[in-house]
Amino acid sequence: RAQSKGCARSSQRFCSRQAQAMISRTSYVHIAARAFRGAAAKPSPSLLASSHSIGTRPALGASVRKLHGWKKAPTDRARSPSKGKASLAVDEASRFQQRLPPSLKEAGVALAEVVPVGPETLNTLHGRVVLSGPDLTSIRPDPEGDASLRGLRTILLLDGREQRSTAELEGVRQEFLEYFHKSYTLSEKLHEMFTTASAFYEKHERLRHPPIFYLGHTASFYVNKLHLGKYISSRIDPVLEMQMAVGVDEMSWDDWDSNSYVWQSGAEARADEARAAEFLQTVLDFRRDVRLLVDRMIRTQPMEWPIKKDSFWWVIMMGIEHDHIHLETSSVIHRQADISVVQPVGAFPICDRGRFHKSPDSSAARSLPPNRLIPIEHGTTRLGRSWEGTKTYGWDNEFGKESHVDVAAFAASEFLVSNKEFMDFLQADGYKTQRFWSEEGWSWVSDMRPTAPGFWRVGASGEYHLRTLCEEVPMPWDWPVECSHHEAAAFCKYLSEQTGKSLRLPMEDEYLRLRDSVPTDLQDSAHGPSWGKNTPGNVNLAYWASPCPVDTFRSPSGVHDVLGNAWQHCATHIDTLEGFETHPLYDDFTTPTVGEHHSRIMGGSWMSCGAHGATRDGRYGFRRHFYQHAGFRYIESHRQIVNSALPYERDRALCDAFRFHFDDDASPSSSFHRRLAARCAEVLAAAGRPINESRVMELGCGPGRTVLELARLGASAAHGAERSSKAFQCTAQRLLVPGGRLRWMNHLEGEFVEARELFAAEVGVEDEASARTQFFQMPDFAAVDTNKFHDYDLVVFAEPGALGSSSDPLRALGNVQGLLKPGGVLALGTQYEWSALGSPLAEGAGSGEEVVARALSKWFEPIAEPTDLEYVRPETERKSQCGTQHLTFWKRRAEPLEGIEADGSSGEAPRASLSEVEQQGQAMYDEELTVGQYLDFHFGPSSSYPSACAARCIAAARDLGVPLGRALEVGGGPGRAAIELSRAFDHVDSGDYSSRFVELGQSLINDGELRWQSLVDRTAGTTEERCVRAEDLKVGGSVTFSKVDAQAMPEELTGYDLVCGFNLIDEVARPKDFLSGVKSRLNPDGLLVLSSPYSWAEEFTSKENWLGGFKYGDNDGPSTYEGIKALLTEHGFVEALPAEEIQFRIDELGNGRKSQQTRAQMTFWRLTGR
């Protein structure tokens, strides 16, 4: 999995804080307090036996190693002195007194099932691994058991039959058990190569986490996905599950991770080996717990057939294949560990075949056959497969519309490039010759200064060795070179220069043409039948845990190593297929990698297991500076490389703009921009200027939907201008190109998003119309360069907020005539949300419409009737900015009117709206500017939400039999809901953090009325006096108002039958403190009612304090509703009534033209008797 630099960093920092927060709001056992993990019953003996015949080679004998001078990490080395003398083994008697984590209790695991195993293995299959200290050299290989772990086949999920017998289904269950346990054990076996606990904490690859992370990560993945899918409700260890949720995928090779985690740094682990062993014990215990949980769920969940992507069994496959991904990436990391801290592991034998020698000038090195070019005929290949009817597991980027791509003829190198062939590049000063490298590649070379591939070891005397997993061996010159993408691409340029041929890395479809020559697959699939026991390449650990000679596996096409031995670098950037959909339980497996920074790797390596790389349809991409077990082949082709992979835009402002412009509802008439363009075309035609003969310009065009619509309607030239080019550049460069697309994220709740892909065809703009479209950057609409921009027939200035975004809206109106021809039309749209106060044009004006007319009258005369055009601009699933643009249309005069001086300047005046004030945090409630808006919200003519909330509380209390005695509203503002509650309750206390709101509420009760000025029209500065009287509200029982901090309420506020908070929990810094404290305020069986749109923002609430809507790593946290439920359940509440939806509106202007419209969720919770 990959993330962008910023996303990875923020996610890692957040996970550290959020994990600690989760501990404080759950009843889970803290990791430091646990010395025990329960154990499930032993798997059946069949799990220990391989169902396949694995063609493995025996380990090399001592004579062979001596002959070649191999550097082997000894297994019989003297045990290193332990810095921690105390044994970490747990006394059996005390161990049985420890309680199981809740998730294991749910799964039915019993304490009596514990079977501890000794420190000779890290395999948790048979019981809890008990370390005796930091020294791990006591681990011994188990050749018989280890051999059964290799050559595993991914499970068949569909075979053409809709049903299977009960016995057959139980057979499938056993396949899942075996596949899970063997894959899980294989990961543990890989970590047996370390000789000391501190090696788990070293960053052997500085751009990735240390091994201790990956040891826990693959286990935490199961818990996180099962929890996200609601297959379990409790966790095992929330700290580990969050801290070990997010991996790294650095944007650059010099972006080193320096965050703090629950595990020690390498230096800290070396300084305190005993502590390092203790945390390693914790992680091993956690792995054992997860194994027990998954084992029990596989044994007890109903078996299904066929198995589809929304099935529990698909989630288990997701965990297993995710394990295989990290088996390989971990092996790459381990391969870079210092040779002094590793030891051979029997599960991973290296190949004993090859031309081994320390010198590139040796006869062994010189005896390699030439790497010829093999012609590959013109043909087609398949890309993509359907979610429906898939026979095998796959990641989301493998699925989409199946297409058959035409591939031109080319010639491919017979072999992968060998170590000896690459040596020629090195000896030709390839690492010093800039012309061989791409700009990105040369930057990497300049910064990192490589002189050879990363796994090569060059001695002081010029001798060459290769680092395998656990050993350094004399260079096998006929093994494939393993290098980065940059090195592979540079070699191709070098060889092109040497041979005079056009050589390069293959594209994805060209590789697939080679792969298609092998008709079988790891498992029966869309490609073909399973290869069974006859694995056609060095893949899936079927033969060795290392590369082998490049001439070992020949395909029917004559090309060797079509699959396996080493991944093959590819010139294609990773992209999704047409019809791509994310999986709901792993929605960012692919989208963060899409774009120009990740290139495809093809075919799998010797370490690629299961559906990870060993299958024909696997699709993976890596950053080009990363090392994998990856090599390459070159092809000769004159085909031009075209990469059109588009990233998913994640900038929030751009995403919201794309959503507003392009995410139409089902009806085309719902699009604000389409309706705006159509109305403008009508008025233009009525003015005698047909759209197909007109040049048009939109000021404040944003991403440009209105411009595109005008082009679609036939405008001879459709231009758009915006102060920043970011939005329209995406449209111009991504959407308005052949096969154009636009990708972004729609925000749902907090950090929850959904990917959106828009195709140019959806907008309906043909290529011919696109050619008539052009965008320009104008830093200020009040200072347009009319020498460059002029002679337009239509100028549209009607995007919501566009006029107000100008540095001086009146000056912009005063200068706009310079853009138009005489007789040209100006379409102006505004809500009069910008201020003209201080300008002579505003003096005596009764409305913003009058101000605009004064500003335009010198050069324009009105034409057509004004039009009100409504719009909805979604921000989340529950919240939208809404408004009504007042459209007026003006015809430019040939000459200005005499005697009219339109002063185009405006004075300084504060401009604010509720949405702007929101971003200023808690202080918004004390700002005088917003008081009128909030009084309107509570007592104005359109007020409904506070009354509706109170009415639902009263009805719920009556339905549930809750006494109508005393009620407390927290965050009540000026108090409308409290007053409504007083009609039913004997006494109501209303508390708010704003002293001003408290004073207003109390004044209404004491003085009998409230008067305020409501801003109707900001442009003219017009207000309307409004009044509310207590007698009209029919105040019932006693009501008191006081200043209350929801997070630290006064002790005297107790004894309530009802506590309620509306639009509160997502606007306080520590919502958990409020909810945790409610219990002490309520009477037994009291009622808590909450209502909120869950509009989490870090301006109010730091992310670690969000109750839901957050992401940790590649997982969605709980929804806010789920987070509230979990927290309140812990504090003795039960959900008393189903949740309800309540709509509300906040008018920002008294003219009703600008508002927020929101859908809040109301939930009802009852405190069980104390």
Side-chain angles (χ1 to χ4, degrees):
R1 180 196 173 276
Q3 294 183 327
S4 68
K5 169 183 172 181
C7 180
R9 283 287 163 265
S10 62
S11 185
Q12 289 161 359
R13 288 192 294 270
F14 163 62
C15 284
S16 178
R17 300 191 300 264
Q18 187 68 23
Q20 300 298 334
M22 283 185 69
I23 285 295
S24 63
R25 68 170 181 254
T26 63
S27 59
Y28 305 138
V29 185
H30 192 278
I31 56 172
R34 300 184 310 160
F36 163 74
R37 295 293 190 279
K42 286 186 180 181
S44 63
S46 64
L47 293 181
L48 305 178
S50 173
S51 62
H52 316 297
S53 175
I54 313 298
T56 56
R57 298 244 169 209
L60 293 173
S63 59
V64 176
R65 297 180 186 278
K66 183 176 180 180
L67 175 65
H68 291 295
W70 291 24
K71 298 178 183 178
K72 176 183 175 183
T75 58
D76 56 350
R77 70 182 71 196
R79 184 172 300 220
S80 59
S82 172
K83 295 183 180 180
K85 300 298 182 183
S87 171
L88 298 179
V90 179
D91 177 76
E92 287 292 306
S94 65
R95 181 163 59 82
F96 280 96
Q97 303 306 314
Q98 303 293 327
R99 70 182 181 89
L100 284 169
S103 55
L104 293 187
K105 287 185 176 179
E106 288 179 8
V109 175
L111 289 173
E113 295 174 324
V114 172
V115 184
V117 297
E120 292 188 356
T121 181
L122 298 185
N123 181 6
T124 61
L125 177 63
H126 298 303
R128 178 175 182 262
V129 173
V130 181
L131 302 179
S132 58
D135 185 358
L136 304 178
T137 56
S138 60
I139 292 175
R140 293 291 182 265
D142 175 11
E144 182 178 351
D146 291 345
S148 71
L149 303 176
R150 300 193 293 273
L152 302 178
R153 282 198 300 168
T154 192
I155 295 175
L156 187 66
L157 307 180
L158 179 147
D159 62 357
R161 293 184 294 167
E162 286 299 317
Q163 293 183 339
R164 282 195 171 193
S165 67
T166 301
E168 288 175 323
L169 288 176
E170 288 307 305
V172 176
R173 187 189 304 277
Q174 289 302 311
E175 286 186 58
F176 269 91
L177 277 169
E178 179 174 340
Y179 195 42
F180 162 68
H181 280 294
K182 287 189 173 182
S183 299
Y184 204 80
T185 294
L186 196 59
S187 289
E188 293 171 342
K189 286 289 185 180
L190 179 67
H191 289 81
E192 290 182 355
M193 65 183 285
F194 293 121
T195 61
T196 180
S198 61
F200 282 80
Y201 301 85
E202 297 285 354
K203 295 192 70 173
H204 306 297
E205 162 57 75
R206 59 186 170 187
L207 297 184
R208 291 175 174 171
H209 285 314
I212 191 71
F213 166 82
Y214 296 102
L215 187 65
H217 174 66
T218 50
S220 70
F221 186 90
Y222 284 99
V223 181
N224 288 328
K225 297 308 178 189
L226 289 170
H227 191 271
L228 181 60
K230 297 181 173 56
Y231 297 103
I232 59 175
S233 59
S234 299
R235 292 183 172 274
I236 292 175
D237 191 322
V239 168
L240 288 185
E241 287 152 15
M242 297 195 73
Q243 280 271 288
M244 294 181 166
V246 56
V248 292
D249 173 37
E250 305 316 322
M251 183 70 72
S252 175
W253 46 86
D254 59 357
D255 184 25
W256 298 356
D257 174 22
S258 59
N259 289 295
S260 298
Y261 301 97
V262 293
W263 58 84
Q264 301 153 268
S265 68
E268 291 168 337
R270 291 192 302 275
D272 190 347
E273 289 267 9
R275 181 172 166 231
E278 289 174 2
F279 189 76
L280 176 57
Q281 179 72 66
T282 295
V283 177
L284 289 170
D285 287 347
F286 173 68
R287 284 192 63 87
R288 175 61 179 164
D289 276 359
V290 175
R291 187 192 283 265
L292 296 175
L293 172 67
V294 177
D295 174 275
R296 188 53 56 93
M297 294 194 75
I298 292 175
R299 293 176 185 274
T300 57
Q301 285 287 316
M303 200 64 228
E304 303 172 22
W305 191 266
I307 293 168
K308 300 181 180 180
K309 70 172 184 176
D310 57 353
S311 164
F312 161 82
W313 301 98
W314 190 276
V315 181
I316 297 300
M317 288 299 297
M318 183 182 290
I320 295 171
E321 301 303 350
H322 173 264
D323 214 333
H324 290 154
I325 289 176
H326 285 287
L327 177 73
E328 179 153 7
T329 55
S330 290
S331 70
V332 174
I333 296 169
H334 295 193
R335 197 173 171 184
Q336 298 173 74
D338 191 274
I339 196 70
S340 65
V341 298
V342 300
Q343 58 191 351
V345 178
F348 304 99
I350 68 170
C351 179
D352 59 348
R353 301 179 182 181
R355 294 170 171 84
F356 298 96
H357 203 281
K358 301 176 186 178
S359 171
D361 299 321
S362 64
S363 58
R366 294 197 305 268
S367 64
L368 269 70
N371 199 354
R372 303 175 301 160
L373 287 169
I374 305 297
I376 306 298
E377 296 180 353
H378 166 271
T380 61
T381 190
R382 175 182 55 83
L383 273 175
R385 53 177 172 144
S386 171
W387 284 108
E388 295 299 321
T390 181
K391 294 182 177 181
T392 55
Y393 178 84
W395 300 103
D396 55 12
N397 61 29
E398 301 172 27
F399 297 96
K401 180 181 178 181
E402 181 179 314
S403 62
H404 292 269
V405 182
D406 191 69
V407 184
F410 62 95
S413 61
E414 182 177 7
F415 308 116
L416 296 179
V417 172
S418 66
N419 286 317
K420 177 60 176 70
E421 194 172 4
F422 195 85
M423 184 69 194
D424 297 339
F425 170 75
L426 189 147
Q427 292 176 329
D429 286 336
Y431 285 95
K432 300 177 182 178
T433 308
Q434 183 175 354
R435 69 177 183 275
F436 296 151
W437 301 82
S438 67
E439 181 179 353
E440 179 187 339
W442 186 247
S443 179
W444 173 73
V445 170
S446 300
D447 288 349
M448 303 305 292
R449 301 190 181 280
T451 58
F455 299 129
W456 286 23
R457 302 291 180 264
V458 185
S461 302
E463 65 276 14
Y464 287 83
H465 286 78
L466 180 70
R467 172 61 187 270
T468 62
L469 263 182
C470 306
E471 305 176 35
E472 291 180 3
V473 303
M475 182 63 71
W477 295 107
D478 56 352
W479 288 12
V481 66
E482 294 161 291
C483 61
S484 71
H485 178 104
H486 291 316
E487 291 164 307
F491 177 91
C492 290
K493 287 190 177 181
Y494 152 77
L495 193 60
S496 294
E497 185 176 292
Q498 293 294 306
T499 62
K501 297 179 178 180
S502 178
L503 303 176
R504 59 168 172 81
L505 298 175
M507 298 289 285
E508 178 179 20
D509 55 3
E510 291 166 335
Y511 165 79
L512 290 175
R513 283 283 293 140
L514 300 176
R515 177 63 178 85
D516 289 345
S517 68
V518 177
T520 55
D521 210 346
L522 174 67
Q523 180 60 275
D524 293 347
S525 70
H527 175 65
S530 167
W531 59 55
K533 300 177 181 179
N534 301 312
T535 306
N538 185 20
V539 71
N540 202 31
L541 289 175
Y543 301 100
W544 304 286
S546 75
C548 68
V550 295
D551 58 356
T552 305
F553 294 95
R554 184 180 186 276
S555 75
S557 67
V559 177
H560 291 68
D561 288 329
V562 163
L563 68 151
N565 215 11
W567 287 96
Q568 300 178 39
H569 288 297
C570 178
T572 301
H573 296 165
I574 185 70
D575 198 2
T576 57
L577 304 172
E578 183 180 349
F580 166 77
E581 295 178 1
T582 63
H583 192 282
L585 298 189
Y586 204 166
D587 59 6
D588 57 357
F589 177 84
T590 296
T591 54
T593 72
V594 173
E596 62 182 5
H597 297 294
H598 294 76
S599 291
R600 292 279 282 114
I601 56 174
M602 314 292 294
S605 77
W606 48 270
M607 195 60 158
S608 301
C609 295
H612 168 61
T615 56
R616 187 266 190 195
D617 288 323
R619 303 183 77 239
Y620 299 90
F622 273 84
R623 295 206 186 273
R624 288 178 283 277
H625 59 274
F626 264 23
Y627 271 90
Q628 288 296 113
H629 305 304
F632 65 101
R633 74 172 69 250
Y634 47 85
I635 70 166
E636 182 181 20
S637 173
H638 295 285
R639 172 186 172 189
Q640 184 179 359
I641 294 177
V642 177
N643 272 308
S644 58
L646 296 178
Y648 283 83
E649 184 60 59
R650 292 176 179 271
D651 179 272
R652 179 63 187 267
L654 285 180
C655 289
D656 287 349
F658 294 153
R659 188 178 193 175
F660 177 42
H661 277 245
F662 298 114
D663 221 356
D664 297 345
D665 293 335
S667 171
S669 64
S670 66
S671 167
F672 168 82
H673 302 91
R674 180 165 289 188
R675 288 181 284 128
L676 172 61
R679 178 60 180 149
C680 289
E682 288 176 5
V683 173
L684 191 64
R689 295 176 180 268
I691 187 70
N692 61 348
E693 299 176 5
S694 300
R695 298 176 71 248
V696 302
M697 163 66 82
E698 183 187 16
L699 300 179
C701 65
R705 178 64 181 276
T706 302
V707 177
L708 299 184
E709 291 298 326
L710 289 168
R712 187 180 65 82
L713 291 172
S716 61
H719 296 170
E722 185 55 89
R723 294 186 305 148
S724 169
S725 64
K726 288 176 64 177
F728 67 67
Q729 277 185 346
C730 292
T731 303
Q733 297 173 5
R734 301 177 184 179
L735 188 64
L736 301 183
V737 295
R741 291 171 293 173
L742 197 60
R743 290 167 168 170
W744 72 90
M745 294 294 179
N746 284 339
H747 289 75
L748 306 178
E749 175 188 325
E751 291 186 309
F752 293 172
V753 296
E754 66 178 3
R756 176 72 166 92
E757 182 174 45
L758 175 84
F759 289 89
E762 296 179 57
V763 182
V765 179
E766 302 294 336
D767 292 344
E768 185 269 336
S770 297
R772 292 182 273 110
T773 302
Q774 195 171 0
F775 296 96
F776 303 92
Q777 183 175 0
M778 288 186 185
D780 190 352
F781 303 134
V784 176
D785 183 358
T786 54
N787 291 319
K788 181 178 180 181
F789 303 102
H790 54 82
D791 289 335
Y792 289 100
D793 298 282
L794 170 69
V795 170
V796 181
F797 205 174
E799 176 79 3
L803 179 58
S805 71
S806 175
S807 65
D808 191 325
L810 289 178
R811 183 170 284 118
L813 294 178
N815 296 335
V816 72
Q817 84 283 346
L819 293 169
L820 284 160
K821 296 176 180 177
V825 174
L826 169 66
L828 183 69
T830 180
Q831 298 157 71
Y832 307 108
E833 79 284 7
W834 46 275
S835 176
L837 295 181
S839 168
L841 296 175
E843 292 180 6
S847 68
E849 189 172 358
E850 186 176 345
V851 174
V852 168
R854 291 177 180 181
L856 294 176
S857 60
K858 182 174 183 177
W859 281 98
F860 291 91
E861 60 180 324
I863 58 169
E865 288 296 317
T867 301
D868 281 338
L869 204 61
E870 295 182 347
Y871 72 88
V872 177
R873 183 171 183 150
E875 293 184 356
T876 70
E877 264 193 324
R878 293 182 170 274
K879 181 179 178 182
S880 298
Q881 293 291 336
C882 303
T884 302
Q885 287 288 87
H886 188 232
L887 294 183
T888 54
F889 299 92
W890 306 83
K891 183 177 180 180
R892 184 191 184 279
R893 307 179 196 276
E895 298 292 337
L897 286 182
E898 297 292 335
I900 297 180
E901 294 297 331
D903 185 353
S905 64
S906 62
E908 294 295 327
R911 290 185 292 137
S913 67
L914 193 59
S915 60
E916 293 166 343
V917 176
E918 274 185 335
Q919 300 177 14
Q920 301 173 17
Q922 291 297 120
M924 64 179 290
Y925 294 106
D926 293 321
E927 293 192 14
E928 188 66 29
L929 186 62
T930 65
V931 169
Q933 293 175 344
Y934 276 88
L935 288 173
D936 276 343
F937 179 57
H938 281 252
F939 303 108
S942 300
S943 174
S944 62
Y945 178 68
S947 300
C949 289
R952 283 302 301 126
C953 287
I954 295 169
R958 287 171 173 162
D959 291 344
L960 297 169
V962 175
L964 300 178
R966 302 179 70 241
L968 169 65
E969 183 192 11
V970 184
R976 177 62 180 274
I979 291 173
E980 296 294 328
L981 289 171
S982 73
R983 298 183 185 182
F985 283 82
D986 297 335
H987 175 77
V988 180
D989 285 317
S990 178
D992 196 276
Y993 193 70
S994 167
S995 299
R996 183 64 189 279
F997 284 166
V998 170
E999 293 169 1
L1000 289 168
Q1002 198 63 54
S1003 177
L1004 177 59
I1005 300 300
N1006 295 340
D1007 302 337
E1009 71 173 21
L1010 275 180
R1011 293 182 179 273
W1012 70 95
Q1013 294 294 320
S1014 177
L1015 184 62
V1016 175
D1017 182 319
R1018 191 179 302 279
T1019 301
T1022 55
T1023 61
E1024 176 182 294
E1025 184 177 82
R1026 289 180 177 167
C1027 175
V1028 62
R1029 294 180 176 84
E1031 62 180 3
D1032 295 334
L1033 296 176
K1034 300 178 181 179
V1035 179
S1038 64
V1039 184
T1040 60
F1041 296 86
S1042 61
K1043 181 171 181 175
V1044 170
D1045 182 350
Q1047 301 156 128
M1049 290 187 284
E1051 293 183 3
E1052 61 268 21
L1053 295 181
T1054 59
Y1056 294 101
D1057 301 297
L1058 168 71
V1059 174
C1060 54
F1062 311 129
N1063 293 8
L1064 173 69
I1065 59 170
D1066 55 356
E1067 295 189 4
V1068 295
R1070 302 184 307 279
K1072 178 176 68 69
D1073 289 355
F1074 164 63
L1075 293 180
S1076 301
V1078 167
K1079 180 177 180 179
S1080 63
R1081 312 295 168 179
L1082 279 168
N1083 293 325
D1085 298 318
L1087 181 64
L1088 169 66
V1089 180
L1090 303 170
S1091 181
S1092 172
Y1094 309 139
S1095 300
W1096 296 106
E1098 290 195 88
E1099 289 86 355
F1100 291 134
T1101 314
S1102 296
K1103 197 183 302 180
E1104 63 264 28
N1105 291 326
W1106 293 6
L1107 298 177
F1110 55 82
K1111 293 183 75 71
Y1112 55 103
D1114 47 30
N1115 303 283
D1116 287 347
S1119 67
T1120 305
Y1121 166 76
E1122 292 169 332
I1124 292 172
K1125 184 174 184 177
L1127 178 59
L1128 291 178
T1129 299
E1130 181 185 344
H1131 287 281
F1133 286 86
V1134 295
E1135 191 165 14
L1137 294 170
E1140 299 179 10
E1141 301 293 319
I1142 299 183
Q1143 304 279 349
F1144 69 89
R1145 169 176 172 154
I1146 300 177
D1147 284 322
E1148 300 184 30
L1149 294 172
N1151 61 15
R1153 291 190 176 277
K1154 186 174 175 60
S1155 66
Q1156 292 176 9
Q1157 295 188 22
T1158 305
R1159 178 169 51 88
Q1161 184 179 60
M1162 178 171 279
T1163 56
F1164 306 86
W1165 312 91
R1166 196 161 189 185
L1167 181 63
T1168 55
R1170 288 179 292 174

